[in-house]
Amino acid sequence: MATRGAEAEALFEAHTAAELRAVERRLRAGIEQKREELRQMVGERYRDLIEAADTIAEMRLSAERLLGAVRGLQRRGAARPGPAEPVRGAGNARGAAGAENGGGAPPEPFLSPLTPSFPPAFLLQARPPVQESFYRAAAQLKLLLDVPEKVWGAVEAGRYLPAARLHLLGCHLRRQLQLDATRASPILARFPILLRQVAAASHLRSTILQESKSLLKSQTVSDQAVAEALCAIMLLEDSSPRQALADFLLARKLAIQQLLNQPHHGAGIKAQVCSLMELLTTTLYQAHALFYTMPEGMPPDPALPCGLLFSTLESTTGQHPAGRGGVLEEEVKLSSWFRYLPESVVEFQPALRTLAHPISQDYLRDTLQQWIAMCSDDIRAGVSNLLVYVKSMKGLAGIRDAVWELLTSESISQNWEAVCRRLLEKPASFWEDLLQRLFLDRLETLTKEGFDSISSSSKQLLALALQELEGKSSTSGPSKHVQFEHNVALFLWSESSSDLPSNAAWVSVANRSQFAKSGLSMKAQALTPCVQTFCSALDSKLKAKLDDLLSYLPADSSAAKEAAPRSAFDRYADAGTVEGLLRDHCVACIHHILGCVREELQSAQSLLGGQVDAPSSARLNAVLFMARLCQSLTELCPHLKQCVLGQSGSAETALKETRSTKKLGKGKAQEVTPLQAKWQGVKAELLQQSLCAYQIWSSAVTKGLVQCFTRTLLLDTAGSVLATATNWDEIEIQEETESGNSVTSKIRLPVQPSWYVQCLLFNLCQEVNRVGGHTLPKVTLQELLRTCMAEVLAAYETLMDQKQEKKADTFPMTQNRALQLLYDLRYLSIILTVKSEEAKTSRIKHDSGIEKVTDFLEGHIDPFDLDVFTPHLNSNLNRLVQRTSVLFGLLTGTENQYASRSGALSSQEQHNILPLASSQIRFGLLPLSMSSSRKSKSATRSTEKVQVPPPVLTRAEDEASRPGSLFRQLVTEEEDAAAPSLFKLGWLSGMTK
């Protein structure tokens, strides 16, 4: 109380009056709620109490009425005459009936005039015949009351054949006692309890049949148990062996359907398919053991027993000597009342109405084939539905291997061929006939879904990359990787920790993984981070798909050929089909990616073609990204090659074959397999798409640069001519007069091209260098030069047409301007003209155009001066070309401009670079690389107007002479060790690869 008072005081101290009233209202509401709950609980319990009291009162009244009835029976029984001893047999029978009906302990036996005790055997002869028949009837009644209990015990123990025999014995007893007669039976009148026994016996037959047919569905029971269940069905239904075969196969068909309709989860599908295969094989084995009979004249095979159903039927329905056999068990025969049973009951044996003839082999074969065909449709549909839940090829391989192990096990495969030959007269393979096609269909679906997912994700990745490159992303500024795409030179000359592998100093290239790519090699190939990211994402998805599918294939090609001695089927027989599916869907995926790239390129081409001014750099960056992407997919996605070539064409094997081919002889034609041709076709499509993208870029670049060049060239004012003019060289010449005297005079000739010509070439080199010119395909660079030369020539022809019109307000074409224009045109024709064999047609067309413009410009020069100027003009032009060959090397390095050095070179000459420089060279000249000299081929650059002097400069062929050849030397494999080079030295060459 003191505590509660303290709490109340604290409550009054802590709260205001209004808060206290609110607390009071909450407390009162809680009190009322508790009271209501108490009322409801008391009301519910009161009703339960009343119901319990009523039940107890009814039970007391029922017990009193039952006791009164028992006392009445006892009084009436005592009033009738009868033997003094009570009969235990009848009491036991009633006890058995009570146990059958109520299931409890039998009640105390009571007296009855029809239940005499059975006398001893030596007093049996003194009994009159009427009393003996009375004992016989009593014994039969006792047995009839015991039969249901024994039947239920046999059913619960799974002994269906003894249960059926006991049930038939009960039917025989009812017929003996005339309990099934239509007229009123005196025994039923005396023993009303038998009515219940007769009614209960009608349910025994259906229960035994139901349990027996249920046992037929199980695949784990023994052959003997199945034979007994079939015999029980035949005895109860009075059917033939053919009907038993139909019941057996129908039960197994229902078992198959039940097995297929079970709830399934991912791991349980393997168990379901294996159980299905085990059920099918067990069914055939048991059909052979039960229904097959050996042909006449053939000895039985102890390893393959057969005809079990017929032997069981014979032992069940056969006749035995008196006193032995029959349906009754030994414990019944030991009972005191057994001796009073008539002989027809003691020796009772069930029998079939018709003889059980053996099933013919033709009928058995046709029935089993029809059953297999019927079940095949259900199995295909069910297994197809099950395989939908298998989401990986590894899961399919696990199910297939489990089925193979099951069918290859000794218990199944030992006599399988003999059983199939006897039953079906042909071999049977459930894997090949039922499952293999289903597994291939599911595998194809998984492969298609996987590569469709790769295609869609690659398309999304491509769209995101192009969005980021075009500046459409939500980020505030371009990332570092995007900047590298805008200018590849920044990427090439940037340093990062991944430039060299961590083990580059002690692991050689031969021992390095083919999938390990150093940052330096990526820069040498101008493969930007965006391209690397895309290819890495694609390659990782291809690797995951390839690893998943390889689990379905043998570890090596030899494993597929080696089969187990008793292998049920060749589980790797469809390896070629699986690899073909992988190849086809992989190629379709690449085609889908190429289709997306093609759509983007077409869109970019239409946008770039519609622009009048300089093309958008963002759009060109996107085009170049797609060009590099298509060019590098085969290099950066090694698993793409494995998907196309399969296990037989690994990258290492192909590389070794290529090296050996190069070393043994380059003139021999190598055989190309269909798989290699497929891979070459994929590479060709990717390269073709890359060249198309580069062509879009080169056209846009040429258009933008030549537009500026043309605009400056066609400016027809004195100021514009002076603004673009360069310094001329003053040359002293000796001329001979008519009198024979020598006169010295000075002439001025151009030694440099006009500023807009230099700007055109320099900007062109800048654009090529910005995109990684050392990795541009030679075809693209040649196309760029051809297009640029054609546009330049068109500009000169436009100028020529304007000057031929001779308008009054136009600036006249002076001799000095004509000399400068002629010098510019010849210089451009030398730099931009492609000297390859395939470019002969376009070069002839250009040469005719150049001659036309050249004739026009020479027409504005005095013929006498032209004869004097031409040798010096050619000399200046040669010197200019060689001086600018390094500056414009990205353009001039497409082919050899000069012939290779010959052996006539003086031994005292130590340098071979820029020997025509007129000024003193401050630094020592650099010698050419030995590897460059080794690869050089002779080619002479010449035009009709310009004669190049004897070769004084050694130029390397193609790739080696272009800027960026250093990078290619770093990543090129050692092809020939004959010529030493700086880049062939030990660990340095290994680190730079």
Side-chain angles (χ1 to χ4, degrees), residues 307-337:
L308 185 59
L309 176 66
F310 303 102
S311 61
T312 306
L313 269 178
E314 184 179 356
S315 64
T316 301
T317 60
Q319 299 299 325
H320 300 272
R324 302 185 60 186
V327 176
L328 298 179
E329 299 176 354
E330 293 298 328
E331 60 179 11
V332 177
K333 297 177 182 180
L334 296 176
S335 302
S336 61
W337 48 267

PDB file of all heavy atoms in Angstrom, residues 307-337:
ATOM      1  N   GLY A 307       8.304 -66.762 -65.335  1.00  0.00           N
ATOM      2  CA  GLY A 307       7.097 -67.523 -65.052  1.00  0.00           C
ATOM      3  C   GLY A 307       6.727 -67.550 -63.589  1.00  0.00           C
ATOM      4  O   GLY A 307       6.080 -68.497 -63.112  1.00  0.00           O
ATOM      5  N   LEU A 308       7.121 -66.542 -62.833  1.00  0.00           N
ATOM      6  CA  LEU A 308       6.857 -66.527 -61.399  1.00  0.00           C
ATOM      7  C   LEU A 308       5.367 -66.438 -61.100  1.00  0.00           C
ATOM      8  O   LEU A 308       4.887 -67.040 -60.122  1.00  0.00           O
ATOM      9  CB  LEU A 308       7.611 -65.350 -60.760  1.00  0.00           C
ATOM     10  CG  LEU A 308       7.566 -65.232 -59.252  1.00  0.00           C
ATOM     11  CD1 LEU A 308       8.143 -66.485 -58.594  1.00  0.00           C
ATOM     12  CD2 LEU A 308       8.339 -63.991 -58.790  1.00  0.00           C
ATOM     13  N   LEU A 309       4.606 -65.719 -61.908  1.00  0.00           N
ATOM     14  CA  LEU A 309       3.164 -65.597 -61.675  1.00  0.00           C
ATOM     15  C   LEU A 309       2.480 -66.956 -61.779  1.00  0.00           C
ATOM     16  O   LEU A 309       1.633 -67.316 -60.940  1.00  0.00           O
ATOM     17  CB  LEU A 309       2.562 -64.611 -62.685  1.00  0.00           C
ATOM     18  CG  LEU A 309       1.040 -64.462 -62.630  1.00  0.00           C
ATOM     19  CD1 LEU A 309       0.599 -63.837 -61.318  1.00  0.00           C
ATOM     20  CD2 LEU A 309       0.544 -63.637 -63.818  1.00  0.00           C
ATOM     21  N   PHE A 310       2.855 -67.727 -62.752  1.00  0.00           N
ATOM     22  CA  PHE A 310       2.193 -69.015 -62.963  1.00  0.00           C
ATOM     23  C   PHE A 310       2.591 -70.030 -61.885  1.00  0.00           C
ATOM     24  O   PHE A 310       1.768 -70.833 -61.439  1.00  0.00           O
ATOM     25  CB  PHE A 310       2.526 -69.546 -64.355  1.00  0.00           C
ATOM     26  CG  PHE A 310       2.146 -68.579 -65.448  1.00  0.00           C
ATOM     27  CD1 PHE A 310       3.105 -67.791 -66.077  1.00  0.00           C
ATOM     28  CD2 PHE A 310       0.827 -68.438 -65.829  1.00  0.00           C
ATOM     29  CE1 PHE A 310       2.758 -66.912 -67.074  1.00  0.00           C
ATOM     30  CE2 PHE A 310       0.475 -67.565 -66.834  1.00  0.00           C
ATOM     31  CZ  PHE A 310       1.440 -66.786 -67.451  1.00  0.00           C
ATOM     32  N   SER A 311       3.848 -69.971 -61.468  1.00  0.00           N
ATOM     33  CA  SER A 311       4.244 -70.871 -60.377  1.00  0.00           C
ATOM     34  C   SER A 311       3.557 -70.491 -59.075  1.00  0.00           C
ATOM     35  O   SER A 311       3.166 -71.368 -58.287  1.00  0.00           O
ATOM     36  CB  SER A 311       5.765 -70.829 -60.216  1.00  0.00           C
ATOM     37  OG  SER A 311       6.198 -69.509 -59.884  1.00  0.00           O
ATOM     38  N   THR A 312       3.383 -69.214 -58.818  1.00  0.00           N
ATOM     39  CA  THR A 312       2.676 -68.790 -57.608  1.00  0.00           C
ATOM     40  C   THR A 312       1.208 -69.181 -57.665  1.00  0.00           C
ATOM     41  O   THR A 312       0.620 -69.620 -56.667  1.00  0.00           O
ATOM     42  CB  THR A 312       2.820 -67.259 -57.437  1.00  0.00           C
ATOM     43  OG1 THR A 312       4.197 -66.902 -57.459  1.00  0.00           O
ATOM     44  CG2 THR A 312       2.208 -66.795 -56.131  1.00  0.00           C
ATOM     45  N   LEU A 313       0.599 -69.027 -58.825  1.00  0.00           N
ATOM     46  CA  LEU A 313      -0.797 -69.447 -58.986  1.00  0.00           C
ATOM     47  C   LEU A 313      -0.956 -70.946 -58.758  1.00  0.00           C
ATOM     48  O   LEU A 313      -1.908 -71.406 -58.113  1.00  0.00           O
ATOM     49  CB  LEU A 313      -1.290 -69.086 -60.394  1.00  0.00           C
ATOM     50  CG  LEU A 313      -1.962 -67.728 -60.589  1.00  0.00           C
ATOM     51  CD1 LEU A 313      -2.325 -67.534 -62.046  1.00  0.00           C
ATOM     52  CD2 LEU A 313      -3.182 -67.594 -59.705  1.00  0.00           C
ATOM     53  N   GLU A 314       0.008 -71.705 -59.272  1.00  0.00           N
ATOM     54  CA  GLU A 314      -0.090 -73.161 -59.135  1.00  0.00           C
ATOM     55  C   GLU A 314       0.021 -73.571 -57.670  1.00  0.00           C
ATOM     56  O   GLU A 314      -0.705 -74.459 -57.194  1.00  0.00           O
ATOM     57  CB  GLU A 314       0.999 -73.819 -59.969  1.00  0.00           C
ATOM     58  CG  GLU A 314       0.913 -75.337 -59.967  1.00  0.00           C
ATOM     59  CD  GLU A 314       1.999 -75.950 -60.832  1.00  0.00           C
ATOM     60  OE1 GLU A 314       2.745 -75.168 -61.469  1.00  0.00           O
ATOM     61  OE2 GLU A 314       2.103 -77.188 -60.865  1.00  0.00           O
ATOM     62  N   SER A 315       0.944 -72.946 -56.930  1.00  0.00           N
ATOM     63  CA  SER A 315       1.084 -73.275 -55.519  1.00  0.00           C
ATOM     64  C   SER A 315      -0.097 -72.799 -54.694  1.00  0.00           C
ATOM     65  O   SER A 315      -0.385 -73.365 -53.638  1.00  0.00           O
ATOM     66  CB  SER A 315       2.373 -72.655 -54.972  1.00  0.00           C
ATOM     67  OG  SER A 315       2.298 -71.233 -55.041  1.00  0.00           O
ATOM     68  N   THR A 316      -0.823 -71.775 -55.176  1.00  0.00           N
ATOM     69  CA  THR A 316      -1.960 -71.247 -54.420  1.00  0.00           C
ATOM     70  C   THR A 316      -3.220 -72.047 -54.677  1.00  0.00           C
ATOM     71  O   THR A 316      -3.992 -72.345 -53.753  1.00  0.00           O
ATOM     72  CB  THR A 316      -2.194 -69.778 -54.800  1.00  0.00           C
ATOM     73  OG1 THR A 316      -1.003 -69.034 -54.515  1.00  0.00           O
ATOM     74  CG2 THR A 316      -3.350 -69.189 -54.010  1.00  0.00           C
ATOM     75  N   THR A 317      -3.446 -72.419 -55.897  1.00  0.00           N
ATOM     76  CA  THR A 317      -4.690 -73.109 -56.254  1.00  0.00           C
ATOM     77  C   THR A 317      -4.541 -74.605 -56.346  1.00  0.00           C
ATOM     78  O   THR A 317      -5.515 -75.320 -56.605  1.00  0.00           O
ATOM     79  CB  THR A 317      -5.202 -72.581 -57.605  1.00  0.00           C
ATOM     80  OG1 THR A 317      -4.217 -72.831 -58.612  1.00  0.00           O
ATOM     81  CG2 THR A 317      -5.465 -71.087 -57.526  1.00  0.00           C
ATOM     82  N   GLY A 318      -3.349 -75.184 -56.148  1.00  0.00           N
ATOM     83  CA  GLY A 318      -3.150 -76.625 -56.289  1.00  0.00           C
ATOM     84  C   GLY A 318      -3.724 -77.390 -55.109  1.00  0.00           C
ATOM     85  O   GLY A 318      -3.950 -76.853 -54.023  1.00  0.00           O
ATOM     86  N   GLN A 319      -4.000 -78.679 -55.295  1.00  0.00           N
ATOM     87  CA  GLN A 319      -4.565 -79.550 -54.268  1.00  0.00           C
ATOM     88  C   GLN A 319      -3.420 -80.227 -53.504  1.00  0.00           C
ATOM     89  O   GLN A 319      -2.416 -80.634 -54.090  1.00  0.00           O
ATOM     90  CB  GLN A 319      -5.473 -80.601 -54.908  1.00  0.00           C
ATOM     91  CG  GLN A 319      -6.655 -80.015 -55.653  1.00  0.00           C
ATOM     92  CD  GLN A 319      -7.579 -79.215 -54.751  1.00  0.00           C
ATOM     93  OE1 GLN A 319      -7.757 -79.586 -53.589  1.00  0.00           O
ATOM     94  NE2 GLN A 319      -8.156 -78.147 -55.268  1.00  0.00           N
ATOM     95  N   HIS A 320      -3.624 -80.365 -52.173  1.00  0.00           N
ATOM     96  CA  HIS A 320      -2.617 -80.968 -51.321  1.00  0.00           C
ATOM     97  C   HIS A 320      -3.227 -82.129 -50.574  1.00  0.00           C
ATOM     98  O   HIS A 320      -4.441 -82.209 -50.401  1.00  0.00           O
ATOM     99  CB  HIS A 320      -2.070 -79.940 -50.325  1.00  0.00           C
ATOM    100  CG  HIS A 320      -1.440 -78.767 -51.014  1.00  0.00           C
ATOM    101  ND1 HIS A 320      -0.123 -78.748 -51.381  1.00  0.00           N
ATOM    102  CD2 HIS A 320      -1.977 -77.579 -51.400  1.00  0.00           C
ATOM    103  CE1 HIS A 320       0.152 -77.584 -51.954  1.00  0.00           C
ATOM    104  NE2 HIS A 320      -0.957 -76.857 -51.978  1.00  0.00           N
ATOM    105  N   PRO A 321      -2.470 -83.013 -50.075  1.00  0.00           N
ATOM    106  CA  PRO A 321      -3.007 -84.153 -49.294  1.00  0.00           C
ATOM    107  C   PRO A 321      -3.751 -83.670 -48.061  1.00  0.00           C
ATOM    108  O   PRO A 321      -3.501 -82.583 -47.564  1.00  0.00           O
ATOM    109  CB  PRO A 321      -1.743 -84.951 -48.921  1.00  0.00           C
ATOM    110  CG  PRO A 321      -0.716 -84.533 -49.907  1.00  0.00           C
ATOM    111  CD  PRO A 321      -1.014 -83.127 -50.292  1.00  0.00           C
ATOM    112  N   ALA A 322      -4.696 -84.500 -47.593  1.00  0.00           N
ATOM    113  CA  ALA A 322      -5.525 -84.128 -46.449  1.00  0.00           C
ATOM    114  C   ALA A 322      -4.661 -83.948 -45.220  1.00  0.00           C
ATOM    115  O   ALA A 322      -3.693 -84.674 -45.004  1.00  0.00           O
ATOM    116  CB  ALA A 322      -6.576 -85.223 -46.200  1.00  0.00           C
ATOM    117  N   GLY A 323      -5.036 -82.991 -44.428  1.00  0.00           N
ATOM    118  CA  GLY A 323      -4.308 -82.704 -43.205  1.00  0.00           C
ATOM    119  C   GLY A 323      -3.130 -81.789 -43.419  1.00  0.00           C
ATOM    120  O   GLY A 323      -2.549 -81.299 -42.467  1.00  0.00           O
ATOM    121  N   ARG A 324      -2.743 -81.536 -44.641  1.00  0.00           N
ATOM    122  CA  ARG A 324      -1.621 -80.635 -44.927  1.00  0.00           C
ATOM    123  C   ARG A 324      -2.055 -79.615 -45.953  1.00  0.00           C
ATOM    124  O   ARG A 324      -2.812 -79.912 -46.853  1.00  0.00           O
ATOM    125  CB  ARG A 324      -0.430 -81.434 -45.463  1.00  0.00           C
ATOM    126  CG  ARG A 324       0.035 -82.528 -44.502  1.00  0.00           C
ATOM    127  CD  ARG A 324       1.281 -83.192 -45.027  1.00  0.00           C
ATOM    128  NE  ARG A 324       2.364 -82.229 -45.166  1.00  0.00           N
ATOM    129  CZ  ARG A 324       3.551 -82.516 -45.722  1.00  0.00           C
ATOM    130  NH1 ARG A 324       3.768 -83.741 -46.191  1.00  0.00           N
ATOM    131  NH2 ARG A 324       4.488 -81.600 -45.816  1.00  0.00           N
ATOM    132  N   GLY A 325      -1.644 -78.455 -45.811  1.00  0.00           N
ATOM    133  CA  GLY A 325      -1.990 -77.406 -46.744  1.00  0.00           C
ATOM    134  C   GLY A 325      -3.285 -76.746 -46.361  1.00  0.00           C
ATOM    135  O   GLY A 325      -3.725 -76.780 -45.212  1.00  0.00           O
ATOM    136  N   GLY A 326      -4.002 -76.215 -47.343  1.00  0.00           N
ATOM    137  CA  GLY A 326      -5.215 -75.469 -47.066  1.00  0.00           C
ATOM    138  C   GLY A 326      -4.882 -74.027 -46.713  1.00  0.00           C
ATOM    139  O   GLY A 326      -3.734 -73.602 -46.672  1.00  0.00           O
ATOM    140  N   VAL A 327      -5.930 -73.286 -46.447  1.00  0.00           N
ATOM    141  CA  VAL A 327      -5.790 -71.857 -46.186  1.00  0.00           C
ATOM    142  C   VAL A 327      -5.488 -71.603 -44.722  1.00  0.00           C
ATOM    143  O   VAL A 327      -4.809 -70.647 -44.363  1.00  0.00           O
ATOM    144  CB  VAL A 327      -7.089 -71.126 -46.614  1.00  0.00           C
ATOM    145  CG1 VAL A 327      -7.023 -69.666 -46.261  1.00  0.00           C
ATOM    146  CG2 VAL A 327      -7.311 -71.323 -48.103  1.00  0.00           C
ATOM    147  N   LEU A 328      -5.970 -72.461 -43.815  1.00  0.00           N
ATOM    148  CA  LEU A 328      -5.855 -72.209 -42.383  1.00  0.00           C
ATOM    149  C   LEU A 328      -4.405 -72.261 -41.936  1.00  0.00           C
ATOM    150  O   LEU A 328      -3.587 -73.057 -42.433  1.00  0.00           O
ATOM    151  CB  LEU A 328      -6.671 -73.247 -41.615  1.00  0.00           C
ATOM    152  CG  LEU A 328      -8.181 -73.229 -41.890  1.00  0.00           C
ATOM    153  CD1 LEU A 328      -8.863 -74.320 -41.096  1.00  0.00           C
ATOM    154  CD2 LEU A 328      -8.772 -71.866 -41.554  1.00  0.00           C
ATOM    155  N   GLU A 329      -4.078 -71.411 -40.987  1.00  0.00           N
ATOM    156  CA  GLU A 329      -2.731 -71.327 -40.476  1.00  0.00           C
ATOM    157  C   GLU A 329      -2.524 -72.350 -39.367  1.00  0.00           C
ATOM    158  O   GLU A 329      -3.464 -72.933 -38.831  1.00  0.00           O
ATOM    159  CB  GLU A 329      -2.455 -69.911 -39.974  1.00  0.00           C
ATOM    160  CG  GLU A 329      -2.584 -68.858 -41.072  1.00  0.00           C
ATOM    161  CD  GLU A 329      -2.404 -67.451 -40.526  1.00  0.00           C
ATOM    162  OE1 GLU A 329      -2.291 -67.319 -39.297  1.00  0.00           O
ATOM    163  OE2 GLU A 329      -2.388 -66.511 -41.331  1.00  0.00           O
ATOM    164  N   GLU A 330      -1.276 -72.516 -38.971  1.00  0.00           N
ATOM    165  CA  GLU A 330      -0.935 -73.542 -37.990  1.00  0.00           C
ATOM    166  C   GLU A 330      -1.530 -73.246 -36.627  1.00  0.00           C
ATOM    167  O   GLU A 330      -1.946 -74.155 -35.908  1.00  0.00           O
ATOM    168  CB  GLU A 330       0.594 -73.651 -37.882  1.00  0.00           C
ATOM    169  CG  GLU A 330       1.269 -74.191 -39.135  1.00  0.00           C
ATOM    170  CD  GLU A 330       0.814 -75.610 -39.443  1.00  0.00           C
ATOM    171  OE1 GLU A 330       0.515 -76.352 -38.502  1.00  0.00           O
ATOM    172  OE2 GLU A 330       0.755 -75.962 -40.639  1.00  0.00           O
ATOM    173  N   GLU A 331      -1.586 -71.968 -36.245  1.00  0.00           N
ATOM    174  CA  GLU A 331      -2.116 -71.642 -34.923  1.00  0.00           C
ATOM    175  C   GLU A 331      -3.606 -71.972 -34.820  1.00  0.00           C
ATOM    176  O   GLU A 331      -4.123 -72.313 -33.754  1.00  0.00           O
ATOM    177  CB  GLU A 331      -1.880 -70.169 -34.618  1.00  0.00           C
ATOM    178  CG  GLU A 331      -2.543 -69.223 -35.592  1.00  0.00           C
ATOM    179  CD  GLU A 331      -2.298 -67.781 -35.232  1.00  0.00           C
ATOM    180  OE1 GLU A 331      -1.448 -67.504 -34.360  1.00  0.00           O
ATOM    181  OE2 GLU A 331      -2.964 -66.936 -35.846  1.00  0.00           O
ATOM    182  N   VAL A 332      -4.320 -71.896 -35.962  1.00  0.00           N
ATOM    183  CA  VAL A 332      -5.733 -72.279 -35.960  1.00  0.00           C
ATOM    184  C   VAL A 332      -5.864 -73.786 -35.797  1.00  0.00           C
ATOM    185  O   VAL A 332      -6.757 -74.291 -35.094  1.00  0.00           O
ATOM    186  CB  VAL A 332      -6.428 -71.775 -37.233  1.00  0.00           C
ATOM    187  CG1 VAL A 332      -7.872 -72.242 -37.275  1.00  0.00           C
ATOM    188  CG2 VAL A 332      -6.338 -70.265 -37.322  1.00  0.00           C
ATOM    189  N   LYS A 333      -4.972 -74.516 -36.426  1.00  0.00           N
ATOM    190  CA  LYS A 333      -5.043 -75.972 -36.370  1.00  0.00           C
ATOM    191  C   LYS A 333      -4.757 -76.505 -34.969  1.00  0.00           C
ATOM    192  O   LYS A 333      -5.107 -77.623 -34.644  1.00  0.00           O
ATOM    193  CB  LYS A 333      -4.059 -76.579 -37.364  1.00  0.00           C
ATOM    194  CG  LYS A 333      -4.371 -76.218 -38.811  1.00  0.00           C
ATOM    195  CD  LYS A 333      -3.347 -76.779 -39.761  1.00  0.00           C
ATOM    196  CE  LYS A 333      -3.649 -76.379 -41.195  1.00  0.00           C
ATOM    197  NZ  LYS A 333      -2.665 -76.905 -42.149  1.00  0.00           N
ATOM    198  N   LEU A 334      -4.116 -75.697 -34.149  1.00  0.00           N
ATOM    199  CA  LEU A 334      -3.824 -76.130 -32.788  1.00  0.00           C
ATOM    200  C   LEU A 334      -4.975 -75.847 -31.830  1.00  0.00           C
ATOM    201  O   LEU A 334      -4.910 -76.234 -30.663  1.00  0.00           O
ATOM    202  CB  LEU A 334      -2.548 -75.433 -32.285  1.00  0.00           C
ATOM    203  CG  LEU A 334      -1.260 -75.776 -33.032  1.00  0.00           C
ATOM    204  CD1 LEU A 334      -0.099 -74.951 -32.506  1.00  0.00           C
ATOM    205  CD2 LEU A 334      -0.957 -77.262 -32.926  1.00  0.00           C
ATOM    206  N   SER A 335      -6.008 -75.158 -32.296  1.00  0.00           N
ATOM    207  CA  SER A 335      -7.136 -74.826 -31.428  1.00  0.00           C
ATOM    208  C   SER A 335      -7.966 -76.083 -31.157  1.00  0.00           C
ATOM    209  O   SER A 335      -7.983 -77.049 -31.948  1.00  0.00           O
ATOM    210  CB  SER A 335      -8.011 -73.751 -32.074  1.00  0.00           C
ATOM    211  OG  SER A 335      -7.258 -72.598 -32.338  1.00  0.00           O
ATOM    212  N   SER A 336      -8.690 -76.047 -30.003  1.00  0.00           N
ATOM    213  CA  SER A 336      -9.487 -77.212 -29.595  1.00  0.00           C
ATOM    214  C   SER A 336     -10.678 -77.457 -30.505  1.00  0.00           C
ATOM    215  O   SER A 336     -11.142 -78.586 -30.652  1.00  0.00           O
ATOM    216  CB  SER A 336      -9.954 -77.024 -28.140  1.00  0.00           C
ATOM    217  OG  SER A 336     -10.757 -75.860 -28.057  1.00  0.00           O
ATOM    218  N   TRP A 337     -11.165 -76.438 -31.121  1.00  0.00           N
ATOM    219  CA  TRP A 337     -12.358 -76.592 -31.963  1.00  0.00           C
ATOM    220  C   TRP A 337     -12.028 -76.923 -33.403  1.00  0.00           C
ATOM    221  O   TRP A 337     -12.912 -77.097 -34.227  1.00  0.00           O
ATOM    222  CB  TRP A 337     -13.208 -75.310 -31.919  1.00  0.00           C
ATOM    223  CG  TRP A 337     -12.400 -74.050 -32.141  1.00  0.00           C
ATOM    224  CD1 TRP A 337     -11.852 -73.271 -31.191  1.00  0.00           C
ATOM    225  CD2 TRP A 337     -12.068 -73.468 -33.396  1.00  0.00           C
ATOM    226  NE1 TRP A 337     -11.179 -72.206 -31.730  1.00  0.00           N
ATOM    227  CE2 TRP A 337     -11.309 -72.303 -33.104  1.00  0.00           C
ATOM    228  CE3 TRP A 337     -12.338 -73.795 -34.723  1.00  0.00           C
ATOM    229  CZ2 TRP A 337     -10.806 -71.477 -34.097  1.00  0.00           C
ATOM    230  CZ3 TRP A 337     -11.847 -72.973 -35.714  1.00  0.00           C
ATOM    231  CH2 TRP A 337     -11.074 -71.830 -35.396  1.00  0.00           C
TER     232      TRP A 337
END
